[in-house]
Amino acid sequence: MGVIGNALLFTMMRDKKLKSLSYSVYLKLLFISDSVLLSIKILQETERTFALRSLASINIGLCKILFGIKFLIMVLSPWLMVGLTLDRYVCVCFPLTREILCTRMKAIAVCLCILVLAVALTVPFLVEMKLVRGKCATSEGIRYYFIFTRLMFSSILPCLAILVLNILIIIHIHRSHNFRSMFMRSGNKSSSRKLDSSTSPLVLVSVLAFVTLLPASLAEAAEVSLIILKANVRAKALLSKFWAFFVLLYLLNFGQNFYILIASSSNYRNIIRDRLACYCLKRNRRNQQSS
C-alpha cells in the first residue's frame, strides 16, 4: 500500500500545477527514498517468513549495498520531512520572502545538502561492514555509532525540528485567521479559507510524520538505556512485546503521504483523478493506433 501510494504521489506531483512548486521537490525525493526502504523491508520480511536465504548474505557487495541503502534512507527521509516543514514555515510565516526562498531551485539545493550529509554519515558504516559466517556484521564501535546516529540524526533531532516548526506554523495560522476575522470583510473570507486549505494538508503530513517517528525513537532510546543499565530480563521482555507495534507505526511514515493529501484536500483528489484519467486516455489512444 505504501509503495502504491508513493507512486501515485509522484504522479500527482508531476502535474503542471504542482511540479513548479518547491514542496513538490521534497515529495518527489521522498517518493524515491520511502519506496526503496519499503521494498527492502518487503524483501527482508519475505526472506524471514519463508525461511529463504538472505540476499545480503550472498556476498559482501550485496551486504553493503542493502544495509547501506537502508541506513542512508533512515537518515535521509526524516530530514527531507524537516526540509518540507521548513519550506511551509517560510511560506506561512514569511510570505513576502516566498518568491525568493521557496523556489524549486532552492528546494533542490536543500535536498542535495541533506543527501550529502546522509551519505557522509553512512560511509563509516559501509567501510566496517563485513560478512562473517554468512551474516552481515560490524565491529562493536560501529554498533555504538549506529545507535547514536539512529537516535540523534534520524529520530530525536528531526522530530524536535518538525515539532517546533509545526507549532510555529499552527500558531501563525491561528493568529492570521483571527486577524482576518476581526478586520477583513466577509467577502474576503473565502480566500483565507482557500489559503488555509492549501497549507493544512502539507502541515498534516509533517505532523503525522512526527507522530509515526517518535514512538520508535523513544522505544530505541529505552532499549539502549536498558542495555547500558543492565536491566533485568523482565523489563526487556515488556519492551519487546510492543516492539512490533512501534515498527509498524514507524513504517507508516514511509507510505502515508499520498493518503494524507487526498484524504485532507479535494484539490489533490481532483488532480490525481485528472492525471489518472489522462493516463488512461493516452493508453487507449495508443491501443487504438496499434490496432
Side-chain angles (χ1 to χ4, degrees):
M1 291 293 293
V3 172
I4 293 172
N6 289 334
L8 292 173
L9 177 64
F10 184 80
T11 301
M12 184 168 65
M13 288 299 114
R14 291 186 62 195
D15 185 79
K16 60 182 180 179
K17 300 176 184 177
L18 302 177
K19 65 181 180 180
S20 61
L21 301 177
S22 56
Y23 69 81
S24 67
V25 176
Y26 297 102
L27 291 176
K28 286 178 182 177
L29 194 52
L30 279 169
F31 148 73
I32 297 173
S33 63
D34 293 355
S35 298
V36 171
L37 187 137
L38 290 175
S39 300
I40 292 176
K41 188 63 178 176
I42 290 172
L43 174 64
Q44 291 177 340
E45 288 300 314
T46 303
E47 293 170 347
R48 183 184 63 84
T49 303
F50 297 100
L52 302 176
R53 183 186 178 186
S54 175
L55 188 63
S57 65
I58 295 178
N59 58 56
I60 187 61
L62 287 173
C63 174
K64 289 187 175 183
I65 289 173
L66 289 177
F67 280 87
I69 291 176
K70 187 177 179 180
F71 182 79
L72 174 68
I73 294 173
M74 286 169 59
V75 177
L76 179 64
S77 184
W79 285 105
L80 288 175
M81 192 59 65
V82 173
L84 175 64
T85 310
L86 181 61
D87 181 85
R88 292 300 90 197
Y89 169 75
V90 174
C91 287
V92 171
C93 299
F94 303 99
L96 296 180
T97 63
R98 179 176 182 174
E99 299 297 329
I100 301 174
L101 298 178
C102 298
T103 63
R104 190 169 180 272
M105 294 306 299
K106 292 286 195 311
I108 292 174
V110 172
C111 290
L112 287 176
C113 292
I114 295 173
L115 181 61
V116 169
L117 175 63
V119 170
L121 292 173
T122 307
V123 169
F125 189 71
L126 290 177
V127 172
E128 293 294 327
M129 181 68 70
K130 298 177 182 179
L131 198 63
V132 180
R133 297 177 182 178
K135 294 183 179 180
C136 293
T138 58
S139 62
E140 186 175 354
I142 291 298
R143 289 175 194 161
Y144 286 112
Y145 171 79
F146 172 79
I147 292 172
F148 173 79
T149 306
R150 176 72 180 88
L151 289 177
M152 293 301 297
F153 290 97
S154 67
S155 298
I156 296 176
L157 291 179
C159 282
L160 185 61
I162 291 171
L163 176 63
V164 172
L165 290 173
N166 277 319
I167 289 174
L168 295 175
I169 291 172
I170 293 171
I171 290 174
H172 186 84
I173 290 176
H174 181 69
R175 288 179 177 175
S176 298
H177 180 73
N178 290 339
F179 180 82
R180 293 190 192 100
S181 299
M182 291 175 60
F183 296 101
M184 285 190 172
R185 294 177 298 177
S186 58
N188 292 330
K189 287 183 180 180
S190 60
S191 62
S192 66
R193 283 195 294 267
K194 184 178 180 180
L195 176 63
D196 291 342
S197 65
S198 64
T199 303
S200 299
L202 295 172
V203 175
L204 185 60
V205 166
S206 180
V207 170
L208 290 180
F210 168 80
V211 171
T212 53
L213 286 172
L214 188 61
S217 304
L218 295 177
E220 288 189 352
E223 184 181 20
V224 173
S225 301
L226 292 175
I227 293 173
I228 294 174
L229 297 175
K230 298 181 179 180
N232 56 30
V233 179
R234 185 178 297 179
K236 295 179 181 179
L238 180 63
L239 181 63
S240 64
K241 286 184 178 180
F242 299 97
W243 185 247
F245 171 75
F246 293 145
V247 171
L248 179 61
L249 193 62
Y250 176 75
L251 288 176
L252 286 177
N253 174 66
F254 300 92
Q256 65 183 356
N257 295 340
F258 170 77
Y259 302 106
I260 295 171
L261 291 179
I262 63 169
S264 59
S265 174
S266 60
N267 181 40
Y268 292 118
R269 289 195 293 270
N270 293 332
I271 289 174
I272 190 62
R273 182 187 61 194
D274 294 342
R275 293 287 299 175
L276 293 178
C278 181
Y279 173 76
C280 293
L281 181 61
K282 289 181 180 179
R283 187 179 63 179
N284 292 335
R285 286 178 179 176
R286 284 197 295 266
N287 291 336
Q288 290 175 359
Q289 290 175 356
S290 62
S291 298

